[in-house]
Amino acid sequence: MRTQGSMKIKEETAEEPVGADKAGNCRRPVIDPVIELTPGSTARPLAGLSGKVEGFLVSHRARFGYVHAFMAVVFLALVAIPVFFPFPADDDTALTNLQLLARFIVWGLWFPLMFLSVVLFGRLWCGLLCPQGALTEFMSKRGLNRPIPGWMRWKGLPFASFVFITVLGQLVGVRDYSLAALEVLGGTMLLAALTGFIYTKDRRAWCRHLCPAGPLLGIFSRLGSAGIDKNGGTGTSAACPTFINTQTKTASSNCIACMRCVNPASESTLRLKLRRPGREIEEIGKREPDIWEVLFLLGATGLALGAFYWTESDMYTLYRDFLGNAFIDLGYGSLIGQSGPWWVMVNYPWAGETFNWLDFISIATFMLGTMVAVMGALLILLISSALIPKEKLEYWKRAASAGYAYAPVALVSLVLGLGIMLFEPLGSFGKLLPAALFAAGAIWSVYLAVKIQGPRPGVLPNMLGIGLVAWLWYSVLF
Ligand code: SF4
Ligand code: SF4
């Protein structure tokens, strides 16, 4: 233990030597600096707002556990308690019915604000507030400490997890029925806990490799005005819970801002830095562009659009009729007319809503089809865009870099789509505000595309793609 001023820095030598995988992600730390700061420490003057926030977070890091526990209790209460309360009547509101209140908090506030928060605070939500992340880390301290298997390291796994959860959520009516919310949200909590218990120690294998929301938060955090970055020194190895090599880190995407690698007493560790929103994406070529992140962004955009389109558009009704006739012609009419259990599809006869296997197949394939179509169209435009280079980057890095320009319009659309019920009570202002936010997101995307690719012909296909995403979202949101 060495002491600097009122700050005590304990350096723990890990049992195993440092090792980074091919992606440069650290698996075993050499040094895990555990910093114990007394609140208000003046060991080293911290400059500006970022210094103040950093000092506050580092000095209170030991208390993060209380915040985690509080958030876990609130979240579990929100998903479990409404199950025991009556289903809302037509004239009920969030003030008169607990199920509606919980629905408003989870879908109107919790998730939209979680996504929106990254623009201001990076992934501080993950490091400080997320109950799932906290639970998986808590369980990993007490678990089996097994190594992460190869299949879990596949970079497409978080996307597969996102697709599965989103489609399941639509099929069981996660936004409308408390039992379905308990199944999907409680189920992912359970899986996060299990993953933490089985794999690694003191880390978050779930957050890095399986969380369906993590990669989206990671991509959007690159837009954020706060990031954990090097301070010009060499960087110190730290036991990063999401397996980032803190000595080479230049990207925000996997960083959950847990502050574990931040030491205000040392020049060489990482520091919390405030920056212009979108700055990391403007210089994405130097910030570890990753084609998997972009594929996730495009796929998630397509799937989210599919989720809105099947409830809103006539195209879905036509598609369902077409499939129904085809199944009847094939002799499966009686089979597809039957319903399945509530945990597979909506089945609440007392609420007047029941899906059958035709609904199940139609919704799932319609959503997946929309995802493939949108993703394919955007990918073609992106690939064309990358054919005309601005920088001497490898081709896929160029394509990946250009793809990050979609982030603002995708983020705003997702937040508006999730939180549309938030604007309903605001009357005409409630229509104006989403429209203004939407326009701002689209303009920001166009600005980023020009910044990334320069004002040259290569940017045009990408602009077309941004226009396509904006138009598709506009048609479901307004
Ligand atoms: S990655 Fe997912 S589970 Fe982990 S902290 Fe973030 S939102 Fe929560
Ligand atoms: S703050 Fe540091 S230790 Fe924590 S997730 Fe980010 S890089 Fe890893």
Side-chain angles (χ1 to χ4, degrees), residues 448-467:
L448 285 182
V450 176
K451 273 288 194 189
I452 295 166
Q453 294 178 277
R456 54 190 73 217
V459 81
L460 289 176
N462 217 15
M463 294 279 195
L464 210 59
I466 292 166

Side-chain angles (χ1 to χ4, degrees), residues 21 148 152-159 161 204-211 242-243:
D21 63 19
I148 296 175
M152 211 197 272
R153 292 176 192 276
W154 179 53
K155 283 192 153 197
L157 196 59
F159 182 52
S161 156
R204 296 190 181 196
W206 169 266
C207 296
R208 178 66 193 258
H209 299 292
L210 283 165
C211 173
T242 49
F243 312 94

Side-chain angles (χ1 to χ4, degrees), residues 244-448:
I244 294 169
N245 184 339
T246 52
Q247 287 181 307
T248 58
K249 173 183 186 296
T250 56
S252 297
S253 28
N254 291 309
C255 174
I256 57 168
C258 69
M259 311 302 285
R260 211 181 273 186
C261 62
V262 176
N263 175 0
S266 161
E267 289 292 342
S268 62
T269 63
L270 304 189
R271 306 297 303 268
L272 175 78
K273 293 200 175 158
L274 299 186
R275 58 197 183 183
R276 188 172 70 247
R279 176 85 188 267
E280 183 170 328
I281 289 190
E282 287 174 30
E283 51 193 39
I284 191 72
K286 294 181 276 181
R287 297 286 208 139
E288 301 170 43
D290 185 343
I291 194 67
W292 282 100
E293 285 183 10
V294 172
L295 290 176
F296 194 116
L297 182 63
L298 304 187
T301 300
L303 195 66
L305 277 165
F308 282 93
Y309 267 103
W310 87 258
T311 52
E312 307 276 335
S313 96
D314 293 338
M315 250 180 346
Y316 169 72
T317 317
L318 290 173
Y319 174 69
R320 183 182 180 280
D321 289 348
F322 167 78
L323 271 189
N325 289 331
F327 279 122
I328 289 168
D329 289 347
L330 289 169
Y332 295 116
S334 58
L335 189 68
I336 58 163
Q338 293 171 17
S339 293
W342 65 268
W343 45 272
V344 173
M345 65 184 80
V346 170
N347 193 348
Y348 303 95
W350 43 265
E353 198 177 12
T354 304
F355 287 176
N356 54 31
W357 284 103
L358 175 62
D359 295 310
F360 179 94
I361 295 167
S362 311
I363 294 169
T365 52
F366 186 84
M367 284 179 67
L368 293 174
T370 312
M371 180 190 85
V372 171
V374 172
M375 199 175 170
L378 295 179
L379 210 53
I380 289 170
L381 291 168
L382 205 57
I383 287 169
S384 327
S385 220
L387 287 173
I388 307 166
K390 177 191 171 195
E391 301 169 74
K392 283 185 183 162
L393 278 177
E394 290 162 36
Y395 178 76
W396 281 109
K397 274 198 173 172
R398 282 208 304 274
S401 302
Y404 285 94
Y406 291 101
V409 71
L411 170 64
V412 171
S413 308
L414 199 64
V415 169
L416 290 180
L418 281 171
I420 205 75
M421 63 172 77
L422 205 58
F423 300 101
E424 278 162 9
L426 300 177
S428 55
F429 182 64
K431 287 200 171 77
L432 205 64
L433 187 61
L437 282 173
F438 184 77
I443 292 169
W444 194 5
S445 275
V446 169
Y447 171 79
L448 285 182

Side-chain angles (χ1 to χ4, degrees), residues 96-137:
T96 59
N97 181 280
L98 196 95
Q99 289 203 13
L100 286 179
L101 179 65
R103 226 183 272 177
F104 177 75
I105 296 174
V106 171
W107 300 105
L109 295 174
W110 187 288
F111 286 118
L113 293 182
M114 174 180 92
F115 281 111
L116 213 49
S117 72
V118 292
V119 178
L120 288 178
F121 311 114
R123 286 179 74 177
L124 196 60
W125 167 273
C126 288
L128 186 60
L129 297 176
C130 177
Q132 270 184 19
L135 182 63
T136 199
E137 193 172 331

